[in-house]
Amino acid sequence: MSKFIIQVNGSAYGTSASVNALRFSQAALLAGHQIICVFFYQDGVYNSTDLSLPASDENDVISDWKQLAQSHQLPLVNCVSAALRRGIVSKQDASENGLSHWNVGESFIMGGLGELVTGIESADRLISF
C-alpha cells in the first residue's frame, strides 16, 4: 500500500479542488492506503474556517474534512503563512498577535512548508489538488 500526502490548493467552494481531494482521500483510505497528512496551501486554507455556513441543501465540505480527520486520526495542516495573509487565524495566532477572534477549527493545525517537505520525504506520493 502507498503512503500519500494530499495538498489542497483550492478553497472549499468555488473550485472542485477540495471536493476532489476529499473524495480521493476517502477512496485511498478505504483501499487501505495511508495518508500522512493533508496540507492546505494557497486558497486551500479557506477549508479550515469555522465561519463557513453552507446552505442546508449543500454539501458541507469543511465538516467532511473534519469528520475524515477524526475518523482516521488524519492531520489537517494549514500553511501558516498562506492562512494568515488570507485572514485565516488560529486561536494561538490570535493570542500571539493581540486579536480577540480566530476562525480556524480545532481539527486543523498550523504548520509551515518545512512540515510538507518533511512529510514528502516519508511519503510515496504527493497528490496536489
Side-chain angles (χ1 to χ4, degrees):
M1 295 296 151
S2 295
K3 292 189 279 186
F4 296 111
I5 290 197
I6 308 299
Q7 180 176 326
V8 182
N9 298 324
S11 63
Y13 302 100
T15 73
S16 62
S18 182
V19 171
N20 290 339
L22 177 67
R23 289 181 182 155
F24 178 88
S25 299
Q26 291 166 330
L29 291 166
L30 190 61
H33 298 288
Q34 179 185 358
I35 297 177
I36 295 170
C37 78
V38 180
F39 190 82
F40 296 90
Y41 189 54
Q42 298 172 338
D43 285 348
V45 298
Y46 288 119
N47 285 278
S48 66
T49 181
D50 266 352
L51 300 179
S52 177
L53 300 170
S56 61
D57 62 341
E58 291 180 8
N59 185 38
D60 189 343
V61 179
I62 296 169
S63 178
D64 291 345
W65 277 118
K66 291 175 185 178
Q67 289 173 344
L68 185 71
Q70 185 176 34
S71 298
H72 297 278
Q73 291 73 50
L74 178 62
L76 302 177
V77 181
N78 261 349
C79 175
V80 66
S81 296
L84 293 176
R85 79 172 57 98
R86 288 169 172 81
I88 303 296
V89 181
S90 70
K91 185 176 183 178
Q92 179 179 342
D93 289 316
S95 175
E96 289 173 0
N97 291 284
L99 301 174
S100 59
H101 302 287
W102 60 90
N103 57 347
V104 172
E106 291 181 9
S107 299
F108 293 83
I109 58 174
M110 297 299 227
L113 289 175
E115 289 183 60
L116 177 63
V117 171
T118 301
I120 289 171
E121 291 176 346
S122 61
D124 298 315
R125 300 223 189 295
L126 167 69
I127 311 291
S128 296
F129 293 88

